[in-house]
Amino acid sequence: MTLSLFDQFASPALLGIPLIAIALTFPWILLPSSTSRWLDNRLSTLQSWFLVRFTHQLLQPLNFGGHKWALVLTSLMVYIITLNLLGLLPYTFTPTTQLAMNLGLAVPLWLATVVLGLRNNPTNALGHLLPHATPTVLIPALIIIETISLFIRPLALGVRLTANLTAGHLLMQLIATAVFVLTSLMPPVAMITSVVLLLLTLLEMAVAMIQAYVFVLLLSLYLQENI
Amino acid sequence: MPTSPVKVRIPLTSFGHLITEVKKQLFGLEGPAAVKLTGLRKYFNSYTIQGRRNCVLATYSVIAVTAVAYFMHRQTKKEAQRDSTD
């Protein structure tokens, strides 16, 4: 069967049985859970240290009411970063390349921040739609612009993650195909291209981690405005 | 390397906030004190949080009323056209 460039983004199935549920729950199986021991093993200790440091850094700008979101934001970060890094393995499906999944994460969480803001502090939430000291003539225009920018936020969140990962995977596949084809035709060029592929893979690992962090950081910023 | 004159961390979530913060720090722009605002400006201004909220609500109300009037006018025109063809 001839594969196209975009077949790597198709939802995985084996003999007609969809494997998407396994793809989505795999990080849960991989990551160690805390035990009731006083001292865990090295991996669990390292994981706990990372989670505590990350949660502390993420929640520092938030007030006490925002600390309730610690579990949601930290688990979201770990989930996305694990899915992204696992997707870098060859022949592995990356669920975060699907726009449906990323919008499914972005829209409800963004909406929750907006509804929380309107419910708890409606004056501040509505007041943020008009910047301080705006000239009178520009008030209606800026309100409309800020409203549009408010509604574009979840789209931007979802599409940013999808586009970054999809583009990275496509680029890696293209360059890997080029290396494969050039190996028999021009081996020196193939060697240079394989060095480029190695550097690109390292870049994609960084992008995978950074995009997960950016997703969660932006959500915490939206929460900061509304809580 | 020249450093930015902007001292305080500016939130990147809004273009409007960015402009306002840069203006405040570069030009020292201060709004009038709330007690000095009189009349309609006391309730609709871009300096106090209540004023900003009222401006937002007024803008949304104008847009909503305009939209309702437009759709009602369109419906009335369709009914008038249907009556004239009958």
Side-chain angles (χ1 to χ4, degrees), chain A residues 76-115:
Chain A
L76 183 68
M77 160 75 176
V78 170
Y79 185 56
I80 296 177
I81 208 173
T82 313
L83 285 177
N84 289 352
L85 287 174
L86 281 175
L88 288 172
L89 297 169
Y91 296 102
T92 310
F93 174 68
T94 318
T96 41
T97 53
Q98 307 298 308
L99 186 63
M101 165 153 172
N102 294 333
L103 284 179
L105 289 172
V107 172
L109 290 169
W110 161 83
L111 194 60
T113 62
V114 170
V115 168

Side-chain angles (χ1 to χ4, degrees), chain A residues 122-124 126-136 139-140 143-144 146-147 149 153 218 221-222 224-225, chain B residues 9 13-17 20 23-24 29 31 41 45-53 55-57 59-60 63:
Chain A
T123 302
N124 261 325
L126 287 171
H128 273 131
L129 288 170
L130 178 63
H132 178 76
T134 308
T136 315
I139 288 175
I143 288 172
I144 293 168
E146 289 283 333
T147 309
S149 91
R153 280 178 185 179
L218 284 171
L221 284 176
Y222 301 155
Q224 209 178 318
E225 283 183 2
Chain B
R9 183 170 163 266
T13 52
S14 164
F15 185 62
H17 287 142
T20 308
K23 268 163 61 177
K24 252 204 284 192
L29 194 76
R41 293 282 287 167
N45 60 74
S46 59
Y47 300 106
T48 60
I49 194 74
Q50 290 81 11
R52 284 151 68 183
R53 178 203 63 198
C55 286
V56 168
L57 290 174
T59 307
Y60 286 167
I63 293 171

Side-chain angles (χ1 to χ4, degrees), chain A residues 36-55:
Chain A
S36 56
R37 294 179 178 211
W38 185 42
L39 285 173
D40 284 325
N41 59 23
R42 285 186 187 87
L43 188 61
S44 297
T45 310
L46 192 65
Q47 185 186 259
S48 307
W49 170 84
F50 170 71
L51 288 176
V52 166
R53 290 284 299 173
F54 173 76
T55 311

